[in-house]
Amino acid sequence: MISRYLESASTYSGDIDQLILIILLVVGFWFLLAEAIFLGLIFKFSAKEGVKAMYISGEDPREKRWVSLPHYATLLFDVLIIFVALRVWSEVKMTMPQADETVRVIAQQWAWTFVHPGPDGKLDTADDIRMVDELHVEQGKVYHFELTSRDVLHSFSVPVFRLKQDAVPGRIIKGWFKPTLTGAYDIQCTEICGIGHSLMPARIVIADADAHAAWVKANAPTAALTPPPGPAGGMP
Ligand SMILES: [Cu+2]
């Protein structure tokens, strides 16, 4: 249902949408019912000519039930929400599937730096591709990300993945995603991180295997792709 308004582009975005929907329905149903009863009682017992207000201590068991029964219902539905939420939390945050590739995400006031592995598929080698405000990934691959910040708290949010993770200076926070759609989507910083916070958007480009390989080839540093020159003069 939520994906009608915001595309669902990761393997776990559907589970998170389902969780949000369950919370909305459970909380929304009881909210509307409670408000309806509340308004009904206000009209029913509003001040009337010649009727004296009654003092109710709430000690009579029949009156206490108006508090205790909704209280037990709240606890019951809380347990239901926690149960469903824990399942999703465990799948998204506690379990990291084996990575096909790792990218590094560095936040700072007010830009994102993304470090992609080059053609060798590994980070911290000469062919790494560094981009500002542009993250390129391949559809169907499991990515681990290493998230850090150069200055203050930021938050790495990819709404179509239903992914949001705080970036904390001094820490490297790991997470994962597996894109299921191709296209270009928003990345947003979702932590007020200073006066330029709203100037900190970026894009994620998800491409199929061929298009992504072509992008990697076209953007890898040329020095890393050119073989080192052989000894001058050739064979003696
Ligand atoms: Cu920020």
Side-chain angles (χ1 to χ4, degrees):
M1 186 173 141
I2 297 171
S3 56
R4 277 171 56 188
Y5 303 98
L6 179 66
E7 275 171 295
S8 169
S10 78
T11 46
Y12 50 68
S13 47
D15 290 331
I16 291 179
D17 284 354
Q18 206 178 36
L19 175 63
I20 290 172
L21 192 64
I22 288 171
I23 294 173
L24 176 76
L25 290 177
V26 168
V27 175
F29 171 76
W30 290 106
F31 172 75
L32 292 176
L33 186 70
E35 292 303 301
I37 293 174
F38 181 54
L39 285 174
L41 291 177
I42 284 178
F43 284 114
K44 189 170 178 201
F45 295 105
S46 57
K48 288 186 192 76
E49 199 73 40
V51 179
K52 228 178 144 197
M54 206 194 328
Y55 177 72
I56 298 172
S57 68
E59 281 164 7
D60 183 329
R62 279 174 310 165
E63 292 159 0
K64 265 192 192 164
R65 256 185 271 159
W66 282 87
V67 176
S68 54
L69 289 182
H71 186 192
Y72 296 140
T74 305
L75 290 177
L76 184 74
F77 284 102
D78 268 354
V79 170
L80 173 81
I81 289 173
I82 290 169
F83 182 76
V84 184
L86 278 180
R87 198 182 55 78
V88 176
W89 178 266
S90 148
E91 183 200 318
V92 178
K93 296 283 187 183
M94 310 283 287
T95 335
M96 295 261 281
Q98 190 75 30
D100 295 316
E101 268 192 22
T102 302
V103 288
R104 194 164 291 139
V105 181
I106 305 156
Q108 72 187 87
Q109 288 173 322
W110 290 282
W112 298 95
T113 304
F114 299 105
V115 186
H116 313 71
D120 67 356
K122 292 193 193 94
L123 275 183
D124 299 318
T125 53
D127 67 352
D128 287 357
I129 306 169
R130 298 173 80 85
M131 286 266 160
V132 174
D133 291 341
E134 233 179 78
L135 172 61
H136 288 254
V137 294
E138 184 181 323
Q139 180 192 24
K141 261 193 180 176
V142 175
Y143 282 85
H144 283 190
F145 62 82
E146 297 176 356
L147 175 64
T148 187
S149 165
R150 287 209 174 104
D151 37 44
V152 299
L153 292 177
H154 298 271
S155 182
F156 177 57
S157 166
V158 187
V160 289
F161 288 174
R162 314 296 190 261
L163 163 65
K164 194 180 277 189
Q165 175 62 58
D166 280 2
V168 182
R171 280 184 63 188
I172 296 169
I173 297 175
K174 294 186 178 171
W176 72 281
F177 56 80
K178 184 176 177 185
T180 53
L181 297 181
T182 56
Y185 304 97
D186 287 338
I187 292 174
Q188 293 163 342
C189 177
T190 42
E191 184 87 51
I192 297 285
C193 55
I195 190 102
H197 166 69
S198 59
L199 306 173
M200 209 177 151
R203 298 287 275 171
I204 181 165
V205 179
I206 310 167
D208 60 29
D210 291 344
H212 184 71
W215 178 85
V216 169
K217 203 166 161 224
N219 288 276
T222 42
L225 291 178
T226 319
M235 297 289 283

